[in-house]
């Protein structure tokens, strides 16, 4: 699903070039559940931005679902982003004045899907994350864990090839974080390919593979023999 080779990102924005990611090789197969760990500044966000087609590498190759991303222009990248990738963020990124249902409909609006199909799919996605009773609530009428579940529902509705989550439990209490991980585990059992950044090893141990970064390099690729069930 994801095939990365020799991926390098050097930022030239400051006085000195910063090698944020150096010669990273990584393969993620369809149906894998991978977490990314590493100290602050080790290149995790840079990797996620490249995998999410939000930025282009300085050199190296990235193939997503058979598409060579490094040869696409901005329009091509935006298209891949909207059609192939689901994003979940630490800060949820929902629109505060819209109901859960409307928030979840948004990516389908951008994809040009008609309103009946949008409502049908958004409702199903909210049911999938256990929020059938909350479709008409706004973010400020829900708990942090519920808001993140809305964000997960939103990430799913265009049936992405891969789900990318950047510290999805970072702003949640332990219990809500476990609920989020239980949903990811459930989606993964249903076949979803997921890559998730976390600072917490307890969170990473719910995934089946942990890749470790240090100074922009992938330094360890760890199999989790028995991923812990969340909750
Ligand atoms: P992490 O997510 O692991 O904290 P980052 O990918 O954010 O690491 O950062 C990796 C390195 O790249 C750091 O040295 C950081 O300061 C630098 N960096 C990140 N983004 C930029 C940018 N837009 N311009 C210049 N340097 C950056
Ligand atoms: P377009 O160019 O098609 O308008 P957007 O910039 O709106 O694309 O972003 C498309 C997708 O990328 C959206 O799903 C959005 O959530 C995600 N996205 C936008 N900005 C960021 C960011 N800074 N980090 C991670 N994902 C982002």
């Amino acid at each position: 699903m994801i095939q990365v080779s020799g991926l390098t990102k050097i930022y030239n924005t400051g006085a000195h070039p910063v090698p944020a990611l150096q010669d990273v090789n990584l393969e993620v197969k369809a149906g894998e559940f991978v977490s990314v760990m590493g100290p602050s500044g080790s290149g995790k966000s840079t990797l996620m931005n490249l995998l999410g087609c939000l930025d282009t590498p300085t050199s190296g190759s990235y193939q997503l679902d058979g598409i060579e991303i490094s040869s696409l222009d901005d329009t091509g990248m935006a298209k891949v982003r909207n059609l192939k990738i689901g994003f979940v963020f630490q800060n949820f990124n929902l629109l505060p004045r819209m109901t859960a249902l409307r928030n979840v409909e948004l990516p389908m609006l951008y994809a040009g899907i008609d309103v009946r199909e949008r409502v049908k799919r958004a409702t199903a996605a909210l049911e999938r994350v256990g929020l059938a009773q909350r479709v008409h609530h706004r973010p400020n009428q829900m708990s942090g864990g519920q808001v993140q579940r809305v964000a997960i529902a939103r990430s799913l509705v265009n049936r992405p090839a891969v789900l990318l989550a950047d510290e999805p439990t970072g702003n949640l209490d332990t219990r809500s974080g476990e609920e989020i991980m239980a949903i990811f585990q459930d989606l993964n059992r249903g076949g979803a390919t997921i890559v998730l950044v976390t600072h917490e090893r307890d969170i990473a141990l719910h995934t089946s593979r942990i890749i470790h970064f240090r100074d922009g390099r992938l330094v360890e690729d760890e199999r989790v023999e028995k991923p812990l069930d969340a909750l």
Side-chain angles (χ1 to χ4, degrees):
M1 182 60 65
I2 287 172
Q3 190 100 41
V4 157
S5 68
L7 200 69
T8 296
K9 177 71 185 182
I10 299 169
Y11 289 109
N12 282 308
T13 38
H16 306 283
V18 176
L21 220 49
Q22 295 187 70
D23 194 23
V24 171
N25 300 301
L26 172 68
E27 183 182 2
V28 177
K29 295 207 164 71
E32 274 200 274
F33 189 5
V34 181
S35 47
V36 179
M37 295 194 77
S40 186
S42 60
K44 305 182 297 295
S45 303
T46 300
L47 176 75
M48 295 301 270
N49 285 341
L50 293 175
L51 294 183
C53 300
L54 294 159
D55 202 356
T56 48
T58 306
S59 60
S61 140
Y62 168 31
Q63 289 187 11
L64 172 64
D65 205 11
I67 302 168
E68 177 57 58
I69 302 299
S70 34
S71 64
L72 296 178
D73 60 9
D74 285 353
T75 312
M77 299 241 295
K79 202 165 165 185
V80 169
R81 209 157 55 226
N82 289 324
L83 297 181
K84 298 266 177 200
I85 301 168
F87 291 99
V88 178
F89 306 96
Q90 181 171 3
N91 296 322
F92 320 130
N93 280 16
L94 295 187
L95 294 179
R97 300 171 70 98
M98 284 192 181
T99 63
L101 189 70
R102 294 288 174 243
N103 269 288
V104 175
E105 275 186 58
L106 270 186
M108 293 184 282
L109 188 66
Y110 298 143
I113 295 164
D114 77 69
V115 62
R116 281 189 52 189
E117 177 73 10
R118 289 206 304 268
V119 172
K120 192 175 121 194
R121 277 207 226 165
T123 307
L126 284 163
E127 281 168 5
R128 177 97 205 245
V129 298
L131 290 178
Q133 310 304 318
R134 295 284 184 280
V135 290
H136 299 303
H137 286 58
R138 292 191 173 78
N140 68 1
Q141 299 170 312
M142 289 183 270
S143 69
Q146 288 172 338
V147 173
Q148 191 60 300
R149 280 147 68 191
V150 175
I152 293 173
R154 178 188 56 184
S155 77
L156 296 173
V157 286
N158 280 342
R159 299 168 182 144
V162 57
L163 271 189
L164 301 178
D166 198 348
E167 295 270 1
T169 64
N171 278 341
L172 301 175
D173 58 69
T174 306
R175 167 85 197 178
S176 304
E178 289 280 313
E179 282 171 14
I180 294 305
M181 291 310 290
I183 289 171
F184 282 132
Q185 288 187 325
D186 181 49
L187 294 171
N188 176 247
R189 284 186 198 108
T193 309
I194 305 172
V195 180
L196 163 158
V197 172
T198 183
H199 273 98
E200 295 175 72
R201 188 161 173 88
D202 284 351
I203 292 291
L205 287 173
H206 295 310
T207 73
S208 47
R209 179 180 175 194
I210 309 175
I211 53 175
H212 298 263
F213 281 80
R214 193 169 292 271
D215 299 330
R217 295 182 188 277
L218 199 169
V219 292
E220 190 190 348
D221 192 339
E222 176 187 0
R223 281 281 150 202
V224 181
E225 287 306 334
K226 283 201 167 69
L228 298 174
D229 274 335
L231 291 178

